[in-house]
Structures are given as C-alpha cells and as structure tokens.
Amino acid sequence: MISIVIPSYNEEGNVSHTAEVVIRIMEKNNIPFELVFVNDGSSDGTWGRLEAMALKDERIVAVNFSRNFGKEAAIFAGLETARGDAVVLMDCDLQHPPETIVEMYKIWKNNDIDVVEGRKSDRGKENKAYRGMSLLFYKLIKKTSGLDMDAASDFKLLDRRAVDALLRMPERLTFFRAMSSWVGFKTEKVYFEVAEREVGESKWTTRQLIKFAINNITSFTSAPMQIVTVFGVLTFIVSVILGISTIVQKILGESDAGFPTVIILQLLTSSIIMFSLGIIGYYISKIYEEIKNRPRYIIRDVVRKNDRGEL
Ligand code: UDP
Ligand code: MG
C-alpha cells in the first residue's frame, strides 16, 4: 500500500477535486493507497471538507493542525501519520500531475529503489524575479552544501526505509527537499511538467520566500559563518599593510595627513563587524530554536476510519 500525503492550506476549492482525481487514477491502475490530507491551520472551509471526506471514505485520513505551522511541518506530520510501505508527497493544487505517481509507483515496485524524486522538466508559470531568485538560491545551496537542487521539488516517493530515516532526524527547522536527499538511499528520477494551479493562488508571499531561502541555506550549511573568518583575514591583511605604511611615514616625518583614511577604515571595519555579528546572531537564534525542542507541529484532530468503517 502507498500513502499519498497532501499538505493543504486554504485549499477548500481544491481538496475534493484533488482527492477525486487521485483516487480515480489509483483505482484505474490497481494501486492500493491511502490519502493523508494535512490541514495546515487553514482559515477557510478546508477542514470541514477534509473531515467529511475522511468520514465517507476509509481510504482518506484527515489530520488537523491547531494552527498554521507551514508546509514543512505538514509534510512531516503526513510522514508520521502515513502507514504505507511507501509515501508519496504531492501538492494539493494538482501542480504535481497525479499520473506521475503511477510512474513513481512502478519504478519503486519493480526495482530496488528507495526514493523516486520528481524533477521539474520546466518550471511552469513563474515570474522572472521569482525565477531569478530561486536560481540564485539553488546556486548558493549547491556551492555551499553540494546538494543539487534546481529542478528538485517536494513531489517524491519514499520507501518506508527512507521515511523512517527522515523521521529519526530530530531537528526542528526542517527542509524536506534537502533532508530527503541527505539521507541517501537508492534514488531514481522522474520528470514532470509543472501544471497550472487549479484553484486559488500560490500561498507564498515574497517575504516568506526570502525567509524560506535564508532559513534553508543556514540549515544546510555553515558557510556564511566562514565568511566572517574571511572578512577577518582580509581586514587583518589591510591593517598590517596600513600599519607598516603609517610607521614608515611617521619615521620619515610625513604623518598627520590621513584623516579621511581613518574615517573610511572606521566605517569599513565597523560595518564588517556588524554584518558578521548579524550572521553569528542568526545561527545562534537557530540554535536557540532547536534547543527549545518544541514539537514541529501540534495536531488538533485526526479522522481515520478502520477496516470496519469505525472511527
Ligand atoms: N501549504 C501548506 N502550508 C502553508 C503553505 C502551503 O501546507 O503554509 C501547501 C499548499 O496547500 C499546497 C502546497 O503547500 O498543497 C504548495 O503550496 P503552493 O501551491 O501555494 O506553493 P507553490 O506551488 O507556489 O510553490
Ligand atoms: Mg502550487
């Protein structure tokens, strides 16, 4: 059996249609499945619909968060709830074509493969600025942590082995896309075309995306901290050169001229120090977040019927 995990945030216009489409495709291909919807604290009628769907169909499980915890948290809640021998993650807006699940399933079933990774063969409709930003972000990730993530997506099939490995990773600040390649395992790729969003709009604001990018870079690499060291070395070299030249000038009796130099150096070094403190502070705040050891999410309700149709 496979579990299909679908994080849903304000998707009241999508959930039942998505479920219907996925169920039809799974039935047509004789794939035993369960659908795990995670309602990420939606403020619309998403939960009402999910609850009704789970009550009607024992193959649908509905999980409800106490508030919005973000897609990452919803993914992990789905992984924890899923009982399948493999888990597929997909978006609620049908941007991840459900036909691809069949392809992933076959690869997993017929080969000794643990992770089937959906890669975007094109990126669908995105605006230029967003595209530019995400390219820069993936370049940075690749440079600093060695993970190749452009074209990667959250659309994946994971064997139980990989799911359990992911669930054993204790960090609070998760980045599913990178973590699922960090755990290793035998991986195969399938390519899919990003479809247009069915109903509603993308839930991301620019501010959220920037926060997401910075969060994920810092979760996966400490390279920005090393920039601090590089700055330190550079300013040290400059100060040695300037120091020698100042002493030489003093001995030759031609000092007293460098007031602008003093100001420029003052500004330069203090801004580097502030910037470096900012980077260090950012990592400390992440350590603080982790050390609090709070749960990744809080579940309010779970609706799941057993084989006999009981709750
Ligand atoms: N999502 C979520 N919590 C959030 C934001 C989004 O669970 O706080 C879900 C959303 O319902 C959808 C998926 O994450 O199933 C992808 O969201 P969206 O389509 O808005 O993002 P995009 O496709 O633009 O990356
Ligand atoms: Mg989408």
Side-chain angles (χ1 to χ4, degrees):
M1 201 246 305
I2 62 168
S3 303
I4 300 166
V5 169
I6 309 177
S8 321
Y9 175 56
N10 292 346
E11 305 274 13
E12 66 176 348
N14 280 322
V15 281
S16 35
H17 177 61
T18 301
E20 273 164 32
V21 172
V22 175
I23 289 175
R24 197 174 340 115
I25 292 174
M26 292 302 114
E27 282 175 345
K28 206 176 88 193
N29 292 281
N30 284 321
I31 302 175
F33 69 97
E34 66 171 357
L35 285 181
V36 180
F37 279 96
V38 182
N39 173 39
D40 184 11
S42 303
S43 51
D44 63 359
T46 304
W47 175 244
R49 305 221 170 163
L50 292 179
E51 202 177 14
M53 283 154 55
L55 287 172
K56 217 166 62 195
D57 189 335
E58 70 279 351
R59 296 169 301 182
I60 298 180
V61 184
V63 177
N64 192 20
F65 278 180
S66 62
R67 63 166 170 88
N68 178 254
F69 282 93
K71 186 181 179 188
E72 287 289 320
I75 290 176
F76 278 85
L79 289 178
E80 224 147 281
T81 311
R83 293 180 178 167
D85 305 303
V87 179
V88 176
L89 275 138
M90 71 177 282
D91 281 0
C92 195
D93 50 10
L94 292 181
Q95 284 191 297
H96 296 158
E99 293 83 10
T100 309
I101 299 177
V102 180
E103 209 180 313
M104 291 174 161
Y105 176 80
K106 285 184 180 148
I107 294 175
W108 168 71
K109 187 91 189 163
N110 302 330
N111 306 280
D112 188 24
I113 295 286
D114 306 308
V115 180
V116 188
E117 199 181 67
R119 293 183 79 83
K120 302 170 188 160
S121 54
D122 72 303
R123 299 185 54 104
K125 279 210 174 142
E126 276 173 351
N127 73 42
K128 285 244 165 61
Y130 178 82
R131 177 87 192 106
M133 286 289 289
S134 61
L135 265 182
L136 181 74
F137 167 55
Y138 289 127
K139 273 228 175 81
L140 264 174
I141 290 250
K142 190 163 183 196
K143 267 257 147 56
T144 52
S145 65
L147 295 167
D148 181 9
M149 301 241 305
D150 188 26
S153 69
D154 289 336
F155 191 25
K156 286 184 185 190
L157 178 147
L158 306 167
D159 184 84
R160 180 48 52 195
R161 279 190 277 256
V163 173
D164 290 342
L166 273 176
L167 291 177
R168 274 201 306 275
M169 290 167 86
E171 60 247 58
R172 303 294 103 192
L173 304 162
T174 56
F175 184 25
F176 173 71
R177 224 171 280 187
M179 285 164 76
S180 56
S181 75
W182 183 89
V183 291
F185 292 107
K186 285 193 189 162
T187 305
E188 186 72 60
K189 292 175 187 143
V190 295
Y191 288 85
F192 69 91
E193 284 192 10
V194 180
E196 293 246 353
R197 191 171 229 290
E198 294 258 319
V199 180
E201 2 190 271
S202 174
K203 302 290 180 292
W204 296 91
T205 61
T206 312
R207 208 172 132 241
Q208 274 176 321
L209 279 173
I210 293 172
K211 216 176 132 194
F212 182 75
I214 294 176
N215 245 323
N216 293 331
I217 290 172
T218 47
S219 292
F220 255 78
T221 161
S222 52
M225 293 264 245
Q226 280 133 33
I227 296 176
V228 176
T229 322
V230 173
F231 281 153
V233 171
L234 288 180
T235 44
F236 178 71
I237 293 171
V238 172
S239 68
V240 168
I241 295 170
L242 273 174
I244 292 175
S245 109
T246 312
I247 291 168
V248 170
Q249 280 182 350
K250 175 88 189 161
I251 292 169
L252 296 178
E254 353 173 307
S255 54
D256 275 341
F259 193 54
T261 323
V262 172
I263 292 179
I264 291 169
L265 277 180
Q266 189 70 266
L267 288 174
L268 186 75
T269 45
S270 52
S271 57
I272 290 175
I273 290 172
M274 304 261 208
F275 184 68
S276 308
L277 276 177
I279 295 177
I280 295 169
Y282 194 80
Y283 277 92
I284 292 179
S285 75
K286 298 202 79 147
I287 296 172
Y288 177 61
E289 283 302 320
E290 293 285 351
I291 211 110
K292 281 195 280 190
N293 220 359
R294 292 203 178 149
R296 286 177 186 143
Y297 49 82
I298 295 166
I299 290 179
R300 182 166 185 277
D301 328 80
V302 180
V303 181
R304 162 183 250 152
K305 292 213 282 188
N306 65 16
D307 305 336
R308 277 159 280 135
E310 296 154 356
L311 277 175

